Structure formats: structure tokens, C-alpha cells
């Protein structure tokens, strides 16, 4: 029996299980590495993630955290949404609320709803993020350098650092930038923070 950690897909409603999608994601990550001709040791060197963790991930023995997926997306030059979309069929033009996929990283306290998933021929996507109080997520590099982001806070307070500048946003505030370097999202509380991100590929 393969042991699962708590980082899961939440699909509402869908007959496909979270485990099935974890397996598809693992297979796609392995495909991307093989396409580049990289052994696990080289991928480990490029990402700073241990070989054993990468091996377990590609065998679907563990589910990745948001930080781990971001490191893999950076070396594979794709956004998280685009990677997740590659393990599913092409999304419809109309995305009903009940069909919007939610990916959860229970360890860091982050939930990510794909409101408008990546679509062939479109450069933008819309994501809703929710951080529980105390959640803190740091990304060393952007998944795609030059990624344009517009972040609109719906509720709560979120502290965002991007390209070496820190900002505190509350409900109604909008932060926009082109991301070239590290970024960090922190929810100081007392309640959760919920925000919308418009992402535009360069």
C-alpha cells in the first residue's frame, strides 16, 4: 500500500480520485525529466531537492508541497497551473464553480483553486489562493521568469514579498508586478487570507 502524505487534490465533484491525479502528476514529472535526458542526480542538482525525494515523487509515493512543485516548475519552465493542466484533459471554455480544481498543501496551510485554468492559445489564467493564519510560503525562483501577476485580496491580510520588496495587503488592495526573483506569501492572521491572482505568461 502506497503511503500518502497530506498534500492532496480536492476535486468537487469528480469520480476521479485524488490518488489517480497524484499518479498522473508523478508520471508527467517523470516524462518531463526523461524528455530532457536528465538522470535523477542531475534534477536533484538543478532543484536542490534530494534524489530520494524526487524518486519517491515520480513513483507517486508522496504528494508534492507547493514549494517543491515550484522548484520543479522552474526547471521545467512552466507555471504550476500549466503543469497541473497537463495531467488532465483540456479544460472547457466555461468553467463552472463546481468544476474548478482545488489543490491543497496541508503542511504549509495553502489552498489553490484554479478558477480559469490554462488553455491552449491563452496567455492568462486566474487562481484563487487561501492561506490559513500563520501560513508562510517562500519560492526561491519564479516558475517562469518575467511572469506578470496581479494579486487582489478578497479578505484578510496577506504579506507579499516580490523582487526584494515587501507589501502588506488587506481586503480590496491589489498588488501587480512582473516576477523575476524570489517571492513569499505570509498570512499574519488573525483570520485566513483569500486572494485572486491573475497570471499572464511573458
Amino acid at each position: 500500500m502506497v503511503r500518502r502524505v497530506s498534500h492532496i487534490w480536492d476535486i468537487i465533484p469528480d469520480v476521479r480520485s485524488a490518488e489517480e491525479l497524484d499518479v498522473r502528476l508523478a508520471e508527467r514529472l517523470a516524462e518531463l525529466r526523461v524528455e530532457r535526458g536528465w538522470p535523477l542526480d542531475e534534477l536533484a542538482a538543478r532543484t536542490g531537492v534530494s534524489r530520494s525525494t524526487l524518486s519517491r515523487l515520480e513513483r507517486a509515493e508522496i504528494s508534492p508541497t507547493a514549494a517543491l512543485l515550484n522548484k520543479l516548475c522552474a526547471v521545467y519552465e512552466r507555471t504550476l497551473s500549466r503543469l497541473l493542466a497537463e495531467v488532465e484533459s483540456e479544460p472547457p471554455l466555461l468553467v463552472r464553480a463546481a468544476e474548478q480544481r482545488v489543490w491543497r498543501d496541508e503542511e504549509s496551510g495553502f489552498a489553490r483553486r484554479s478558477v480559469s485554468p490554462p488553455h491552449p492559445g491563452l496567455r492568462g489564467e486566474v487562481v484563487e489562493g487561501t492561506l490559513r493564519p500563520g501560513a508562510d510560503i517562500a519560492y526561491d525562483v519564479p516558475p517562469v521568469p518575467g511572469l506578470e501577476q496581479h494579486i487582489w485580496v478578497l479578505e484578510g491580510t496577506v504579506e507579499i514579498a516580490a523582487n526584494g520588496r515587501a507589501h502588506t495587503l488587506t481586503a480590496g488592495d491589489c498588488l501587480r508586478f512582473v516576477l523575476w526573483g524570489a517571492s513569499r506569501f505570509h498570512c499574519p492572521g488573525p483570520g485566513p487570507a483569500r486572494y485572486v491572482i491573475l497570471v499572464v505568461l511573458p
Side-chain angles (χ1 to χ4, degrees):
M1 183 73 176
V2 175
R3 189 178 77 83
R4 297 278 164 192
V5 294
S6 59
H7 319 300
I8 61 173
W9 295 78
D10 178 16
I11 300 175
I12 307 172
D14 202 315
V15 296
R16 292 172 299 180
S17 68
E19 183 169 311
E20 179 184 350
L21 286 171
D22 270 351
V23 170
R24 290 186 186 183
L25 178 59
E27 291 172 349
R28 181 58 184 148
L29 289 171
E31 287 172 1
L32 288 168
R33 179 177 60 78
V34 172
E35 286 171 7
R36 285 158 178 75
W38 296 343
L40 280 171
D41 289 335
E42 181 167 350
L43 181 59
R46 288 173 179 268
T47 60
V49 178
S50 72
R51 185 186 189 283
S52 61
T53 296
L54 293 170
S55 177
R56 293 183 66 202
L57 178 60
E58 289 188 2
R59 294 197 306 269
E61 293 180 359
I62 59 172
S63 297
T65 63
L68 174 53
L69 273 184
N70 187 74
K71 290 180 179 180
L72 291 169
C73 284
V75 298
Y76 292 138
E77 300 180 318
R78 52 201 2 94
T79 64
L80 176 58
S81 291
R82 193 159 298 277
L83 174 63
L84 298 180
E86 289 175 4
V87 304
E88 301 186 35
S89 60
E90 182 179 319
L93 295 180
L94 174 62
V95 185
R96 302 287 186 187
E99 298 168 350
Q100 295 167 7
R101 305 285 193 257
V102 179
W103 183 80
R104 299 183 188 278
D105 180 350
E106 299 293 351
E107 181 176 301
S108 64
F110 173 56
R112 184 181 192 284
R113 176 181 292 274
S114 186
V115 178
S116 178
H119 191 282
L122 299 179
R123 294 174 55 219
E125 61 188 83
V126 179
V127 173
E128 179 188 47
T130 303
L131 295 170
R132 70 183 177 217
D136 197 326
I137 304 174
Y139 303 107
D140 296 333
V141 293
V144 178
L147 198 66
E148 182 180 336
Q149 296 189 23
H150 300 252
I151 304 174
W152 180 34
V153 177
L154 301 179
E155 63 180 86
T157 300
V158 59
E159 297 171 350
I160 300 173
N163 299 324
R165 297 184 62 183
H167 310 270
T168 299
L169 288 75
T170 58
D173 292 343
C174 181
L175 175 66
R176 52 191 184 173
F177 53 85
V178 175
L179 187 61
W180 296 101
S183 60
R184 174 176 171 261
F185 291 72
H186 172 65
C187 176
R194 190 166 64 93
Y195 52 89
V196 170
I197 305 179
L198 170 63
V199 179
V200 182
L201 290 172

